[in-house]
Amino acid sequence: MKYKRILVGVDGSPQADRAFDVGCSLAKVLAAKLYIVWVVNRDRGMDSSFGVNEDFYRDQYAQVKDKLAPYTKKAADQGIDAETQALVGNVKVLLSKSFPAENKIDLIILGQTGRNVIGKLSIGSHSTYVLQNSDVDVLIVK
């Protein structure tokens, strides 16, 4: 199978940066389009338990958009056809189902763990969920 549309989930962690580097390498070799996605995780439990409101998510979204700029530049400097997106929502569903379906993704690349300390107890809660629930191939980078 030739991968033509590769999704890389980033979150600023070293593992996600390694996943991004692998995604860039594969995109170059395969002449594939690279989708670089950073999701601001919207947790309904946190919303109700801690009174988190829309302003919080708007602020997080704005920060994430700025943090995506270096990824965009690095991909462009390598001549990679890349698109970056900041999204707000359930990170697990967006990375495993919604975004891949809407963009015809055929490979998802994620870091083994991310910034969530609790999630680092295993492969990573988000990575594990995507691995188990995605309809497309998933590559987990250590």
Side-chain angles (χ1 to χ4, degrees):
M1 166 183 236
K2 182 175 178 187
Y3 299 111
K4 296 179 183 173
R5 301 168 77 85
I6 301 171
L7 163 64
V8 176
V10 298
D11 63 6
S13 68
Q15 295 85 357
D17 289 346
R18 284 194 294 277
F20 170 74
D21 291 339
V22 169
C24 286
S25 296
L26 286 174
K28 280 179 71 171
V29 168
L30 300 172
K33 181 162 184 176
L34 188 64
Y35 293 82
I36 307 156
V37 177
W38 190 320
V39 179
V40 174
N41 193 31
R42 179 158 199 151
D43 184 329
R44 300 289 180 196
M46 196 164 96
D47 290 358
S48 60
S49 298
F50 299 104
V52 176
N53 62 24
E54 289 301 317
D55 291 338
F56 172 81
Y57 292 108
R58 274 194 288 276
D59 290 345
Q60 292 293 309
Y61 176 81
Q63 290 176 29
V64 164
K65 284 192 70 147
D66 291 341
K67 291 177 183 178
L68 278 169
Y71 294 98
T72 305
K73 182 176 180 346
K74 190 171 180 180
D77 289 348
Q78 296 179 57
I80 297 167
D81 180 13
E83 178 180 315
T84 56
Q85 286 196 34
L87 303 171
V88 177
N90 182 309
V91 67
K92 294 174 182 179
V93 173
L94 283 169
L95 292 179
S96 67
K97 296 287 186 183
S98 305
F99 191 89
E102 292 166 8
N103 294 279
K104 299 180 179 151
I105 300 297
D106 45 26
L107 176 64
I108 300 169
I109 303 174
L110 299 172
Q112 181 178 8
T113 60
R115 297 195 146 199
N116 181 342
V117 175
I118 295 169
K120 290 181 179 180
L121 296 174
S122 62
I123 290 178
S125 63
H126 298 150
S127 301
T128 300
Y129 184 91
V130 173
L131 185 62
Q132 293 173 345
N133 293 282
S134 176
D135 295 326
V136 302
D137 291 347
V138 178
L139 173 62
I140 305 296
V141 177
K142 287 188 172 196

